[in-house]
């Protein structure tokens, strides 16, 4: 097996053998088959919104500090983490289409970043959904070599 990603060895049992439930086999196989296509379509559809977000985000960056230094820093960190997550998601696509481990690793890092962003923004629902998706990623990890 290739070198494990950061925290992969520590987190794996909690999202696989010790997980509250296992996704059904046919669901996991369908996910592995269709997720690259869904990711690509969502990335293409989100591109105009992402460009607008980046343009308006940079415009509103100085204004975000009016709410206080904490608000401004939170906004800035949120923007940076979003861009990094987007880049990781795009980098994952070739590996996901070819079922290579590199695609899984990029998706894993993007999802870890999503969990972190949800926690930092105090989004309980976002954190739960990100953890659920992370559990699904760990349960399909064996499909990527």
């Amino acid at each position: 097996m290739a070198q494990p990603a950061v925290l992969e060895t520590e987190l794996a049992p909690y999202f696989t053998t010790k997980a509250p439930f296992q996704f059904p086999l046919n669901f996991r196989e369908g996910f592995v088959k269709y997720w690259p296509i869904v990711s690509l379509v969502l990335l293409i559809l989100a591109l105009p919104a992402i460009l607008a977000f980046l343009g308006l985000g940079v415009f509103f960056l100085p204004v975000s500090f009016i709410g206080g230094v904490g608000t401004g820093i939170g906004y800035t960190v949120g923007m940076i983490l979003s861009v990094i997550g987007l880049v990781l998601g795009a980098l994952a696509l070739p590996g996901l289409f070819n079922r290579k481990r590199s695609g899984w690793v990029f998706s894993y890092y993007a999802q870890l970043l999503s969990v972190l962003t949800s926690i930092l923004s105090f989004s309980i629902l976002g954190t739960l959904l990100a953890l659920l998706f992370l559990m699904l990623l760990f349960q399909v990890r064996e499909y990527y070599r």
Side-chain angles (χ1 to χ4, degrees), residues 17-107:
T17 56
K18 295 180 180 179
F21 66 92
Q22 299 289 317
F23 287 96
L25 184 61
N26 58 349
F27 181 83
R28 285 185 271 169
E29 289 172 352
F31 175 82
V32 170
K33 183 176 181 180
Y34 295 112
W35 181 244
I37 298 165
V38 171
S39 291
L40 179 62
V41 169
L42 290 176
L43 193 62
I44 291 169
L45 290 175
L47 193 58
I50 291 163
L51 293 174
F53 167 74
L54 290 175
L56 291 173
V58 170
F59 177 75
F60 286 121
L61 187 61
V63 179
S64 68
F65 284 90
I66 291 174
V69 174
T71 304
I73 290 174
Y75 180 78
T76 305
V77 169
M79 277 191 57
I80 291 168
L81 292 178
S82 297
V83 170
I84 294 170
L86 176 71
V87 169
L88 288 171
L91 289 173
L93 283 175
L96 292 177
F97 274 109
N98 296 320
R99 293 194 186 179
K100 292 190 175 185
R101 178 160 166 78
S102 62
W104 184 89
V105 170
F106 281 126
S107 293

Side-chain angles (χ1 to χ4, degrees), residues 85-137:
L86 176 71
V87 169
L88 288 171
L91 289 173
L93 283 175
L96 292 177
F97 274 109
N98 296 320
R99 293 194 186 179
K100 292 190 175 185
R101 178 160 166 78
S102 62
W104 184 89
V105 170
F106 281 126
S107 293
Y108 165 72
Y109 284 139
Q111 200 54 36
L112 276 183
L113 203 57
S114 177
V115 170
L116 177 65
T117 304
S118 296
I119 290 170
L120 291 176
S121 65
F122 301 107
S123 172
I124 295 171
L125 181 61
T127 303
L128 291 174
L129 290 174
L131 288 171
L132 184 68
F133 192 80
L134 191 59
M135 184 169 72
L136 177 58
L137 273 178

